């Protein structure tokens, strides 16, 4: 009965990527811990870049300051 | 000072239902643990069905695949 | 498929109380949102009183300062 | 590598306030625990007042009932 | 900068399994979202079976009631 | 009514440090958002280094591999 919570910045995660995250995280539970996928939950939280900070800065600011900034 | 976090899929939870969740969860803390309701917090997180996975699949896909699918 | 996370201070929560929290929170999901209890998870997190703060203070300190302190 | 998660009601938190929260929370980790800010994450979650309960009530209801209500 | 939080029951997760969960979850972020593994955090929370409920029951009770019970 | 959750590795956080985290995080809510400290909660979660991963590795392994490793 695992719960996998994935927090990422909200920057265009596609439907296909969401499906891949769900499939991959669930498979990991099956492969490593022999969990039952029918009671394995994956919850993806997309967080606005204004609301995520790293190194004292908002990610939204980091994105503006430099086109090359590629902290992901 | 309990914190109750309720995560559900975002599928039309009404105002009345939210009030009932808050009242019920708070009352549970009072009844079972004798907690003070004035410092009992209930936070409801509604998660998009695209962002919730069970059994390898997005809930949004499960909803589409079958009108009868009633995993709740 | 709700997930209910209950955070409380670790102050002698009994087995019977844990069972009552699980039953009560699950029943709330059934009654209010018509959820399926077989895929309703309740997770109780007991937090050391040293690690919980309210009003600038550790709960463990509040407990020591006054036998009458009954913030719960 | 600390993770600081800040949950507040969604009531007009400004960009400047978000920056101040990120800077302040990160500095706290540096000052108190000597953590590296480059691997310190701050995530701000703004919760709708309909979805936050205290004292049996939705915050949105408390706000309506009284202009003087200033539980913050 | 993803944060992956994995909650499982505390039932003998080995060091090798923890390493496999960390490697697998991090690789998933790299493969699907092109994230930088150096700022990808994985946090595993092992929850006592007394503190995890499913279908109205404590997992610890389910384990006792039947040796065959294999909800995982 | 903010909730501040601080997750750090369990590596000898002292009582004085916990108090400083609680006071500092609460003061931040008062200074930046004018919140009421009496309904501001701070929860510190100390996570075993075996259970925290960064850059594909357990922190406990990183600590063993090099005395100089100072990712914090």
């Amino acid at each position: 009965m695992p719960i996998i919570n994935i927090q990422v910045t909200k920057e265009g995660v596609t439907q296909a990527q969401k499906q891949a995250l769900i499939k991959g995280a669930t498979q990991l539970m099956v492969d490593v811990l022999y969990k039952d996928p029918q009671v394995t939950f994956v919850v993806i939280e997309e967080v606005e870049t204004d609301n995520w900070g790293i190194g004292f800065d908002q990610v939204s600011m980091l994105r503006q300051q430099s086109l090359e900034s590629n902290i992901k």
Side-chain angles (χ1 to χ4, degrees), chain A:
Chain A
M1 308 150 289
I3 302 166
I4 301 102
N5 187 282
I6 299 172
Q7 285 183 300
V8 292
T9 46
K10 189 174 178 67
E11 298 181 279
V13 184
T14 66
Q15 279 285 77
Q17 286 174 321
K18 290 178 184 181
Q19 290 171 17
L21 291 175
I22 288 167
K23 284 189 198 310
T26 305
Q27 192 63 50
L28 190 65
M29 297 303 125
V30 173
D31 290 346
V32 175
L33 297 175
Y34 317 113
K35 296 291 184 183
D36 178 352
Q38 293 311 315
V39 282
T40 294
F41 294 173
V42 181
V43 176
I44 301 168
E45 292 187 36
E46 296 173 278
V47 177
E48 299 288 342
T49 53
D50 283 347
N51 288 13
W52 194 299
I54 180 171
F56 294 113
D57 291 311
Q58 278 179 307
V59 172
S60 52
M61 287 294 164
L62 293 173
R63 296 284 184 259
Q64 284 177 21
Q65 282 164 15
S66 167
L67 292 172
E68 299 82 29
S69 173
N70 60 357
I71 301 175
K72 289 197 169 193

